[in-house]
Amino acid sequence: MPSPATTMVRSTDGVELAVHDFGGHGPTILFAHATGFHGLVWSPVIADLVDTHRCVSIDFRGHGDSSVPDHGSFLWSGFADDVQAAVAHLDDPRPLYGVGHSKGGAALLLAELRAPGTFSGLYLFEPIVLDPERRADTGAVEANPLALGALKRREVFASKDDAYANYRSKPPLDALTPEALRAYVDHGFADLDDGTVRLKCRRADESQVYASSGTHDAFDHLDRVRCPVTVAAGAAEEGLPAVIAPGIADQLQRGTFRAHPELGHFGPLQAPGLIADEIRTALER
C-alpha cells in the first residue's frame, strides 16, 4: 500500500490538523483514532479496505502531527471540530462513512449530531459515550484513573526501536499486531536534537483528554442520529468501554451491536483484518 498524502488543514482554536489520504477506490471512509494514538495507526485496517473504499484518516488535535489548541484545553467538542474540518476538506464526497475507535467514535457521533446527514453510516469500536451518571465521575484528573495513568507515561526513549521493544514486551500495547504497533511507534514519536525520541502526544495533554471525557452529552441525543450505526465491542470484562457499548447501540435509531469477546479495547489494532471485513460488511449493509 502506498504512503498516504498528508495535508495540513485549519481546524478551530488555531489547530493545524493533519489529514492523511490513502487513496483507494469507491466511497470515502474517514477514520478517527483513540486517545493517545494517531491517524496512521489505522494503516493495517486500511490496507484491507483500499480496494473497495477511498480511505482517509486524521490526527486529532494534540496527537500525531496535528498541533495543540491555542487555549491548551481538550474539551471533546474540539475533536468534533476536527472531524468537521476534515469533512470540509474532503469537499463533500457522497456517500461518506465514518469509522471510529474509542474517543474517535465519540467525535464522529458528535459531528453527526451537529450536522445530521454528514455520514451515510458509522462503524464505532467501543465509543466513549457516557450516560449522565457516568459523566459525573470523570471530571478532575485526580479522580480519573486513566488521566492519572497518562501523567506517569514514559515520554522519551533512546530510539523508536527501543520504544517498540518496550511496548512489545508488556501490556497493554503488546496486544497490538506488530504492524499496528510499528505504525504507532514510527509515526507517534518525534526525533529530538540529542538523538532520542519523544511521544508526540504529550502525557499532560493525554491526561486532559481522559479527564474531559465527560464534557460532552452525546448519549442524551443518540436517538437523533438517523444514519445506520454499528457499535462493536470486545470482552465486557476488559472494562467500561465494552460494558457501555450495547447501551449505546440501543439508544440509536438504527443501531446494531457486534460483540467480539476475543478482543480487548484495542480491537481494531489487535485484529485489523477481522475488523476491516466487518467494516466493509456493515457499511455496505
Side-chain angles (χ1 to χ4, degrees), residues 271-282:
L274 170 68
I275 298 302
D277 287 343
E278 188 164 278
I279 290 168
R280 182 183 287 108
T281 299

Side-chain angles (χ1 to χ4, degrees), residues 156-162 189-198:
V156 177
F157 290 86
S159 65
K160 291 178 180 178
D161 286 343
D162 183 44
F189 280 83
D191 296 320
L192 301 182
D193 292 340
D194 63 0
T196 63
V197 296
R198 184 180 65 199

Side-chain angles (χ1 to χ4, degrees), residues 168-258:
R168 186 85 243 150
S169 67
K170 58 187 178 183
L173 294 183
D174 64 334
L176 276 59
T177 66
E179 295 79 11
L181 182 58
R182 193 78 247 184
Y184 167 63
V185 171
D186 285 352
H187 303 286
F189 280 83
D191 296 320
L192 301 182
D193 292 340
D194 63 0
T196 63
V197 296
R198 184 180 65 199
L199 279 170
K200 292 179 179 178
C201 180
R202 306 302 299 275
R203 59 192 179 194
D205 295 339
E206 183 179 358
S207 179
Q208 277 200 58
V209 174
Y210 285 127
S212 299
S213 60
T215 59
H216 72 86
D217 62 353
F219 184 89
D220 304 345
H221 308 289
L222 290 175
D223 60 341
R224 289 167 35 201
V225 177
R226 295 194 295 267
C227 68
V229 182
T230 297
V231 180
E237 57 268 26
E238 289 287 325
L240 179 66
V243 170
I244 65 176
I248 295 169
D250 287 344
Q251 294 294 315
L252 293 158
Q253 287 189 33
R254 302 169 69 186
T256 301
F257 177 67
R258 297 284 297 174

Side-chain angles (χ1 to χ4, degrees), residues 31-94:
F31 289 83
H33 63 81
T35 300
F37 289 87
H38 52 74
L40 295 177
V41 81
W42 283 105
S43 297
V45 175
I46 289 171
D48 283 346
L49 288 169
V50 289
D51 58 333
T52 55
H53 292 81
R54 176 193 178 194
C55 297
V56 180
S57 69
I58 61 175
D59 295 347
F60 282 114
R61 56 186 59 203
H63 295 70
D65 292 329
S66 295
S67 63
V68 299
D70 290 339
H71 50 59
S73 176
F74 285 91
L75 298 179
W76 285 31
S77 57
F79 299 123
D81 293 343
D82 295 344
V83 170
Q84 292 188 296
V87 170
H89 168 71
L90 292 175
D91 196 23
D92 198 34
R94 299 291 173 178

